[in-house]
Amino acid sequence: MISVDNYHYLHAYAVRADGSVWAWGMNNRLGTLARDPKTWRAPREYFAGLESYIEPGGPVENLNGTPYPIEVFKPDGSSFDDAVQVVTHTGTTLVLTSGGEIWGWGYPARVWPWPDLQAGDNIFGKSEKYYQPVMSVVSEVAAPAKITRLDIAQTFAAGMADDGTVFTWGWNNIASLGHGEMETTNPPGRIRDTRDMRDFPEDSWPWISEGRYLQNVKEVALVDNGTLILKEDGRVFYQGTHYTGDGRYVSTEKMRQTIITPENVPVLNPVLRRDGTQFDNIAAITSDRGYRMYMLDEDGVFWHWGRDIESRSQDSYYGLYPERLPFARFDKDLNEWVEIHPR
């Protein structure tokens, strides 16, 4: 395997070394296994010995899914032979090929764009679901840059390009795409360098002159409410709402009510330490694609922040600033947890 991904306990995907794509788990109403849920059922023998396997819809006889990997085929019936990465979320799956093409299936209104959605379309009015892979137009829009890496969240997606920029597309009602605005528009676009947007004169709008895109991006990680960005110089920025990483909590309601002016723009927020200084030694970033973000610095220390969704309190946080993630072991003699790397 060269790439694997899953959405909770519901479905999973893998890309083999031969470039083929495989799926298993539940094939819900969105066709998460690239199969039409109304016409496809896994062969009964797939479930031999698994009579106790139950899904929300009923016993194994009614199971629309499979516990074993099945291959995903293109619409012409051919196999993928050049896939290099797969990412999946609630109802949409994307596959990246070695040539920079993006194929996808599921619910296009959550993670656009597909070919039949034109500029200006209201993507939330689209109810069509794709039960077979369809080639996205992102690679066409990105050309001559080539998409080399994907990430996906519930309602939007991102593609790293080989020129150090990042293309984002999908839902943008909370400024998660980094386009300098909060409108969901087509086509997909690059993350803009909005760090100094307040210094721009009004007559230079809309937003930014051509070419003012965020460059030298090393990695990108998505959460439900925003985009985390790692630059080549070790600095980290966040675009979106909620846990901005600089000590503030920006609610969805507050962001949606923002009046877009040169003085009040959804900008890239630098991720800060508690003393107000910016991180400049981060080697890698990732997220749970939900509400938590993680960073690894050059000294091997993990940092994390965002909502503690396992807490009973809806107002609990891991922190509005990144905190060191302690590593611990259970000491039987002391009958307690002991940190391996003290703070």
Side-chain angles (χ1 to χ4, degrees), residues 32 109 111 141 186 309 314:
T32 47
V111 181
V141 173
N186 304 333
I309 59 175
Q314 294 300 308

Side-chain angles (χ1 to χ4, degrees), residues 2 16 22 61 74 134 138 158 180 188 198 229 243 286 293:
I2 60 175
R16 294 182 58 178
W22 297 75
E61 287 78 7
K74 295 181 180 179
V134 178
V138 175
R198 296 186 182 94
I229 301 158
Y243 315 97
T286 190
M293 290 164 278

Side-chain angles (χ1 to χ4, degrees), residues 40-149:
W40 181 85
R41 290 290 188 276
R44 184 65 177 82
E45 56 266 25
Y46 274 36
F47 303 96
L50 297 176
E51 284 74 12
S52 62
Y53 186 89
I54 301 296
E55 73 152 17
V60 67
E61 287 78 7
N62 299 322
L63 180 64
N64 192 350
T66 168
Y68 299 110
I70 56 175
E71 187 171 2
V72 175
F73 298 101
K74 295 181 180 179
D76 62 3
S78 63
S79 300
F80 282 92
D81 59 6
D82 57 352
V84 294
Q85 186 192 7
V86 60
V87 293
T88 188
H89 208 279
T90 314
T92 307
T93 301
L94 303 177
V95 166
L96 177 67
T97 71
S98 58
E101 294 177 350
I102 300 173
W103 292 74
W105 55 94
Y107 195 26
R110 291 183 175 173
V111 181
W112 187 81
W114 308 131
D116 63 339
L117 292 178
Q118 304 300 318
D121 279 352
N122 176 10
I123 66 173
F124 301 107
K126 296 290 181 178
S127 59
E128 295 88 351
K129 305 173 185 67
Y130 294 87
Y131 302 132
Q132 288 182 314
V134 178
M135 189 184 299
S136 169
V137 300
V138 175
S139 55
E140 179 182 338
V141 173
K146 175 183 172 182
I147 302 298
T148 59
R149 195 72 181 169

Side-chain angles (χ1 to χ4, degrees), residues 6-12 24-28 32-33 53 56 90:
N6 73 288
Y7 176 65
H8 294 320
Y9 57 87
L10 297 179
H11 62 269
W24 63 97
M26 184 184 297
N27 189 54
N28 64 16
T32 47
L33 299 190
Y53 186 89
T90 314

Side-chain angles (χ1 to χ4, degrees), residues 167-318:
F167 285 82
T168 52
W169 60 93
W171 189 51
N172 192 40
N173 205 30
I174 51 177
S176 54
L177 299 187
H179 294 173
E181 58 190 10
M182 290 186 292
E183 296 296 326
T184 297
T185 57
N186 304 333
R190 288 183 174 93
I191 293 178
R192 297 182 180 272
D193 193 347
T194 55
R195 290 172 295 171
D196 57 355
M197 186 63 71
R198 296 186 182 94
D199 299 329
F200 275 47
E202 278 191 70
D203 58 9
S204 71
W205 288 29
W207 304 114
I208 214 159
S209 59
E210 192 68 26
R212 290 283 296 184
Y213 301 115
L214 195 66
Q215 299 178 342
N216 302 316
V217 177
K218 182 179 179 181
E219 290 183 12
V220 61
L222 305 185
V223 290
D224 275 355
N225 300 296
T227 303
L228 190 66
I229 301 158
L230 172 62
K231 297 288 296 295
E232 290 284 357
D233 59 11
R235 293 181 299 163
V236 179
F237 296 88
Y238 177 81
Q239 172 75 55
T241 64
H242 290 54
Y243 315 97
T244 59
D246 58 0
R248 297 178 302 124
Y249 177 88
V250 179
S251 68
T252 299
E253 291 74 18
K254 182 177 180 180
M255 179 66 83
R256 288 176 178 172
Q257 294 169 4
T258 299
I259 299 174
I260 307 301
T261 69
E263 293 76 30
N264 193 6
V265 172
V267 297
L268 285 168
N269 303 286
V271 176
L272 307 176
R273 299 181 180 88
R274 282 190 173 274
D275 62 6
T277 61
Q278 186 173 5
F279 286 89
D280 58 3
N281 66 334
I282 301 303
I285 59 174
T286 190
S287 76
D288 67 351
R289 295 181 180 166
Y291 299 97
R292 291 179 281 189
M293 290 164 278
Y294 305 86
M295 304 186 300
L296 173 66
D297 68 25
E298 294 173 350
D299 297 323
V301 177
F302 281 94
W303 301 80
H304 67 148
W305 74 101
R307 168 165 285 186
D308 181 357
I309 59 175
E310 297 177 356
S311 171
R312 295 182 179 180
S313 171
Q314 294 300 308
D315 297 322
S316 295
Y317 306 102
Y318 271 121

